[in-house]
Structure formats: structure tokens, C-alpha cells
Amino acid sequence: MNNDELESPRPEHLDTVERVFVNQAGYLPDDEKYAVITFPATYFTVVDEKGTACFSGIPIPCGRDEASGDSVCRADLSGLRLPGKYRVIAGKEVSHEFSVGDDVYQPCFDKLMKAFYFQRCGCELKERFAGMWAHKKCHTSTAILWENNKISVDVSGGWHDAGDYGRYTTAAAVSLAHLFYGWKMFPEVFLRQDIDIPGKPSDMPDVLIECRYELEWLLKMQRFDGAVWHKVTTFKHAPFIMPEDDNEQLYVFPVSSSATADFAAVTALASTIYRRYDARFADWLLKCSEAAYDWLEKNPAFIGFQNPEGCDTGVYGEHSDADNRFWAAAELYCATGEEKYYSRTMELINRDFSKTALGTASVGGFGSLALLLHGRGSAAVLNMLQKLFVRQAEELAEICEKSGWGASITPDQYFWGSNMKILTNGMIFIIADHLERNSLSGNPHFRKYAAMQLNYLLGTNATGYSFVTGVGDLCVNYPHHRPAFADRVEECIPGLVSGGPNSRMEDNYAAMLLPKDTPPMKCFSDNTECYSLNETAIYWNSPAVFLVAGLLS
Ligand code: 9MR
Ligand code: ZN
């Protein structure tokens, strides 16, 4: 019997036909490499660009993978170290092309970073930088306060959050935090980066030029008394039109304590980062951070955010702000060395919230990172925080080992934006590895699990897609992203990270398209309509930037 007859029929709703899956961007020469095969192949061959066989082996069966419902086996390609372009052949099936080389991640890294430029609001995206995705200035009209329509404010600028045109404080702060910590931990990788954005040449690396664009908007979101507004959006999401054609009234919605705390945290962090380039900007950031913090101290009760009746733009609701306040106090302590921030940090650290979570609603991990990288404070606390990251990495590594695809999430974790979970788990691996590498008795062994998360993102997953637009032969090209649709350019704006499989299928189109019993990892479609599967967001891009930087370092 032919191998191909053994397997179950290919699910018809999947528009991909892959059965040999690889990271379509490729692999670094010395990294562990593997292809996942979803039929019982007895043999695999790797061919180069000319079709010449250059590597072969016997796939290792891994059994049934619960998240995808596939019986998978793995082809170990780790011995393939010679730079070049390859495909894996097993049975009659051929994988997409992938590269091996020292520079395979650079184009992906650059596209992921440039994507933030494409999200810019309030300025023209000139052809010189944006090419065929150029568009006019958008959302520059003054916004009015939701609570008092007579008061208007200038809150122009920043990045559009996602496939929508909203700008949300907590989402912005988290996205900036991923990028800033990437820069803090792997500066050499960012110093080498050279993308085409305005404001160059500059002393600053590109990541800091781009983040400053967001920060300057964020500063406008602070009210006179230090509190920070939760979001600025229209009342209803715009239709699928270009941003410059979205001329509905912009509203600045009420303040929340989560927004104020995240603002205090990220502006304090930014002040330490920008100080060496622009001391006045750094002073201003710190002043604004302190004002936000003082407001929080005067307003100790949690103030959440809910949409007013009828408003359908993002909520970014939270249930508690202990983690946000912890992050704020920790960053301000690291920025100023002042005792009052330290004592508040130590008080909040005993509250019940995750100390390793890296966004969006749960931000305790950033406070922990602040303390760990700063290295001041009690040795016992630093030790405890390091152990928490390492223990979490150990637990996630176990999940990867059980997954046929090396995915770090369990079958019940394929919810809206599951790729963010994959990517922030990738960050946890990188962070734990980094901490262990820098401590005497450390055991850094998590890098390979971090790489697995990138492999998943770039094609080694049951959908076969690279979830980054413009990266890989078969990549997402029709995300739920307004300009990407409305610009009438067939090729999607590159570098955008799709939310990825969502087993709850929370939009009508997904529910119609995919059978109810679709395995979680296959609950995906590269379809503009499917906002719960295929939107993009700044805080899905930012952990990808961090992860790739960590792997490149
Ligand atoms: O990422 C958010 C997801 O967890 C929620 O379930 C969903 C529905 O409220 O909203 C997502 O966030 C969206 C935000 O509300 C508006 N901008 C796009 C975000 C990504 O889809
Ligand atoms: Zn805009």
C-alpha cells in the first residue's frame, strides 16, 4: 500500500494543501531544524534550488497531535548547515522553499519593524517610504471629550491599533514595552537594522525613531491632572475605507486607572532609553510619568473602562490594576532610584497577579523585567522573579514537547489572537534563557523552544500559512485590515502579524466557513472578513520583533 492511502482525507475547508511544513523564512545554520509531516512518511529528502538531493533521513513519528488532529512525524534537518535554498520532499509531497543562512531572519525582522510605520496615523505615508501603500494624512481633526462635547483636544498621531483605526492607551503601552525591552536586551541587533522610515539619518536606531512617533501621541493622551484617557476612536468602527476617508467625529473616552498606570510605566521606561539621545525629551517623559503616578496614588481604587452603550470600538477592559500599578512603580523606581517607588513596588508584588505576563491586559511581567534588568533591590526578590520566569519556561517547554508542531500553547488556548500567546511565550523562553545565561549557576537551554515559536509563526503550523504578511511563499495576504483592503493593491502591506487560529470562531464569517468540529489549530482562514482569526495588531507585531531580535542576538 502506498503511504498516501494510509492517512485520513484532507479537510476540504483548508485552502492550503500542504503536508510537509517548514519555517518558510528559514533557519539559522546552527539552530535545530525540522519539518513537520502530516502523513506517515517513511523517508524524506532535501533538495536544493537545482533539485539536487543534498540531505535525507527517516522521519520520527510523533503520534497524534491534539491541537491539529493530525498524526505527525518530524524530519530532523539540523544537519543541514550549508547556506542555500531548499525544499523537503516526502512521498509525493513537497514543502515550500526555505533558506538556511545567517541572514535568513533579517528581511522578516525588518518587515516586522517597518509594519509600525505603516500603522502611522496623522501623517502622510509618502511614496518614498511607503511605496505602493502610500496614503494621505488621516485622523487629524480635533477630537472631543466623550464626557463633555464642548472640550476638544489634539490627540493626533501614533499608530492605528490594528485593522481598525482606533488608538488605545494600554495596547500602545504594551506594544512599546515589547519593543523597548527588545532594544534594552539586544541593542546590537537593533543597531544593525536599517529600514526606510522618515527621520534619518539619526543618532537613534530605527526602533527608537519609530517608537518616538507613538510616544509623542501617547503623551497627548494625558489629562491636565495626570490621569490618562483610555482611547481615542470614532463611535463606531469605520467601514473598510482608507484612513484619510474616515472623517467621523473622534472621541476621547474617559480615563482609566489601567491606562494611567501603563502610561506611567512606559513613559518612565522610555525616559531611561531616550536620555542619551535627547535629555529634554527624557525629562519631559519622566515628568509626565510622575504626574500619572501621583494621580494613581491619589486615586487608589481601580477605575476600569467600559464602552458607552452603542459604541463598538475596542474595550481593552481589565478587572484589576494591581499589575499595572506594580509595573508603573517598578519602572519609576528603576528610572529614579527613589525609595518611595521601591516600597510601593514591594507592597504590590505580594498581590495576586502573574509576575511573568507580558500583555495586553496582564502586564506584571514588564514590572518584573524592569527589576531584573536593573538588578537593584533585594536579592531575594530578584531571585524569586528569575525563578518564576525559568519555571514558566520549563512548563511551556513541556507543552512544546507534547505538541507535534512545537507549539507552546495547549489545545484550549487557541483563542482570539492566539499568535500573541505563541509569541509572548517565545519571549518568556528568550528572557529565561537570557537570565540563566547571565547567572553563575544558570542553565540556559530555552533558545530552541523560542525558535520553535517562530517556526510555528512562519509556517510550521497546521494551517501551512506564514502568519506574517509578505514573509514566505504561502503567507497571509488578506488580513482584516482596513487599508490593506481599501488600497486596492493586491499584495498586502508587508510585515503584519495575523492573530491566528481561534477555536471560538467569534465572527459570523468564520463560523459559516469552518465546520464546528474543526481542530483548534486549523480554525483559521486568510480572509478579510474573519476579524476574529485574521486581524493584525501592533501588540502582535511587537512580541514578534522581540522574539526575532532575541534569536538574532
Ligand atoms: O485582542 C482583543 C481580543 O482579545 C478580544 O476578544 C476582542 C473583542 O473584544 O478584541 C480584540 O482586540 C481588538 C480591539 O478591541 C480593537 N482593535 C483590534 C483588536 C484585535 O482584534
Ligand atoms: Zn489615522
Side-chain angles (χ1 to χ4, degrees):
M1 185 163 39
N2 178 318
N3 276 340
D4 292 335
E5 287 161 12
L6 286 171
E7 82 223 297
S8 55
R10 194 173 298 173
E12 273 170 17
H13 63 274
L14 273 186
D15 29 17
T16 65
V17 290
E18 274 59 45
R19 285 186 292 176
V20 183
F21 301 77
V22 294
N23 173 334
Q24 296 176 44
Y27 304 87
L28 298 175
D30 296 330
D31 269 358
E32 188 177 280
K33 311 172 195 69
Y34 52 90
V36 172
I37 302 173
T38 53
F39 58 94
T42 48
Y43 196 75
F44 73 88
T45 308
V46 178
V47 296
D48 65 15
E49 263 181 305
K50 290 183 203 133
T52 311
C54 41
F55 193 81
S56 63
I58 294 167
I60 304 150
C62 304
R64 187 175 175 278
D65 171 77
E66 203 188 325
S68 63
D70 290 323
S71 288
V72 308
C73 49
R74 270 192 197 208
D76 185 355
L77 317 172
S78 301
L80 193 67
R81 289 200 169 79
L82 198 67
K85 289 187 175 169
Y86 304 99
R87 289 174 196 271
V88 180
I89 302 178
K92 291 179 198 150
E93 308 287 331
V94 185
S95 76
H96 286 289
E97 190 175 77
F98 63 96
S99 300
V100 172
D102 287 321
D103 51 1
V104 293
Y105 291 155
Q106 196 64 41
C108 173
F109 186 54
D110 293 347
K111 285 175 185 171
L112 288 168
M113 190 66 232
K114 174 84 181 254
F116 290 92
Y117 166 76
F118 284 116
Q119 293 296 106
R120 282 191 190 195
C121 182
C123 67
E124 182 189 355
L125 299 195
K126 296 214 167 89
E127 210 190 315
R128 153 86 183 78
F129 304 105
M132 53 189 168
W133 302 288
H135 68 74
K136 289 186 222 126
K137 231 187 199 175
C138 57
H139 303 112
T140 48
S141 62
T142 53
I144 54 179
L145 296 191
W146 175 255
E147 297 147 296
N148 182 351
N149 291 352
K150 291 202 186 76
I151 302 179
S152 58
V153 275
D154 167 27
V155 284
S156 59
W159 300 319
H160 297 138
D161 182 54
D164 66 325
Y165 294 136
R167 286 163 289 146
Y168 309 82
T169 300
T170 55
V174 164
S175 193
L176 285 170
H178 294 142
L179 296 171
F180 286 151
Y181 277 108
W183 158 249
K184 272 183 87 136
M185 289 173 67
F186 316 110
E188 73 287 0
V189 179
F190 288 96
L191 286 171
R192 286 198 301 263
Q193 186 167 49
D194 184 11
I195 56 173
D196 212 10
I197 52 173
K200 292 168 72 169
S202 160
D203 295 347
M204 286 194 279
D206 296 350
V207 61
L208 298 188
I209 296 177
E210 194 49 49
C211 286
R212 185 169 177 157
Y213 191 81
E214 179 76 337
L215 273 173
E216 295 199 348
W217 161 74
L218 195 58
L219 293 172
K220 296 180 183 175
M221 291 297 281
Q222 187 167 38
R223 198 166 69 179
F224 64 91
D225 62 349
V228 180
W229 290 302
H230 195 77
K231 66 172 177 178
V232 51
T233 71
T234 50
F235 192 65
K236 299 256 187 206
H237 279 308
F240 268 57
I241 53 177
M242 288 301 282
E244 63 268 33
D245 298 328
D246 177 26
N247 293 311
E248 289 298 314
Q249 179 62 53
L250 287 167
Y251 292 98
V252 170
F253 289 90
V255 302
S256 68
S257 58
S258 44
T260 306
D262 288 6
F263 173 101
V266 85
T267 48
L269 170 61
S271 77
T272 67
I273 289 176
Y274 286 89
R275 183 156 304 282
R276 80 171 100 141
Y277 304 103
D278 185 343
R280 278 180 54 197
F281 183 52
D283 286 342
W284 180 238
L285 284 162
L286 191 55
K287 268 217 158 51
C288 297
S289 171
E290 287 166 337
Y293 184 85
D294 291 345
W295 184 89
L296 286 171
E297 292 289 89
K298 282 189 213 120
N299 294 272
F302 169 64
I303 302 175
F305 180 80
Q306 279 180 329
N307 260 345
E309 176 103 28
C311 174
D312 71 355
T313 57
V315 180
Y316 293 112
E318 301 188 27
H319 301 293
S320 140
D321 63 9
D323 54 331
N324 315 69
R325 287 174 190 257
F326 165 71
W327 180 25
E331 293 291 0
L332 271 159
Y333 169 61
C334 295
T336 65
E338 280 179 40
E339 195 48 45
K340 67 172 183 187
Y341 298 122
Y342 189 66
S343 53
R344 179 65 83 226
T345 307
M346 289 304 111
E347 205 179 293
L348 288 161
I349 207 169
N350 295 315
R351 300 274 292 276
D352 181 27
F353 58 84
S354 162
K355 308 296 181 297
T356 57
L358 299 167
T360 52
S362 195
V363 294
F366 298 117
S368 304
L369 258 188
L371 298 172
L372 282 164
L373 297 184
H374 190 59
R376 282 223 310 243
S378 125
V381 168
L382 295 181
N383 210 342
M384 182 266 289
L385 293 175
Q386 173 157 343
K387 284 218 174 90
L388 287 178
F389 274 111
V390 172
R391 195 185 312 147
Q392 167 117 50
E394 301 279 12
E395 283 168 18
L396 294 172
E398 257 174 59
I399 299 173
C400 297
E401 293 289 356
K402 279 198 198 114
S403 160
W405 304 86
S408 61
I409 60 179
T410 51
D412 58 335
Q413 288 180 318
Y414 287 80
F415 43 66
W416 195 316
S418 61
N419 280 340
M420 181 177 187
K421 195 84 194 144
I422 291 279
L423 292 167
T424 51
N425 286 345
M427 288 180 68
I428 302 269
F429 288 130
I430 295 280
I431 292 164
D433 205 70
H434 183 88
L435 296 172
E436 289 290 275
R437 201 171 295 278
N438 293 321
S439 54
L440 281 176
S441 56
N443 173 18
H445 62 291
F446 298 115
R447 185 195 149 87
K448 74 169 191 181
Y449 298 105
M452 284 179 189
Q453 307 321 299
L454 187 66
N455 293 341
Y456 173 98
L457 187 78
L458 298 179
T460 317
N461 64 70
T463 74
Y465 279 100
S466 157
F467 290 119
V468 183
T469 60
V471 176
D473 275 358
L474 179 72
C475 59
V476 163
N477 195 55
Y478 305 101
H480 181 86
H481 186 274
R482 281 169 177 72
F485 174 85
D487 65 10
R488 295 169 170 265
V489 179
E490 171 58 19
E491 187 182 333
C492 186
I493 297 158
L496 301 169
V497 175
S498 163
N502 173 6
S503 61
R504 295 186 201 154
M505 304 188 241
E506 289 160 270
D507 61 82
N508 289 336
Y509 209 80
M512 198 179 75
L513 208 65
L514 304 171
K516 265 208 183 62
D517 56 355
T518 305
M521 205 194 284
K522 290 179 178 164
C523 291
F524 181 74
S525 177
D526 179 23
N527 195 307
T528 311
E529 307 272 347
C530 299
Y531 57 84
S532 77
L533 318 178
N534 200 28
E535 190 167 354
T536 75
I538 52 173
Y539 49 87
W540 297 338
N541 260 78
S542 49
V545 169
F546 181 108
L547 176 59
V548 179
L551 290 171
L552 279 174
S553 119

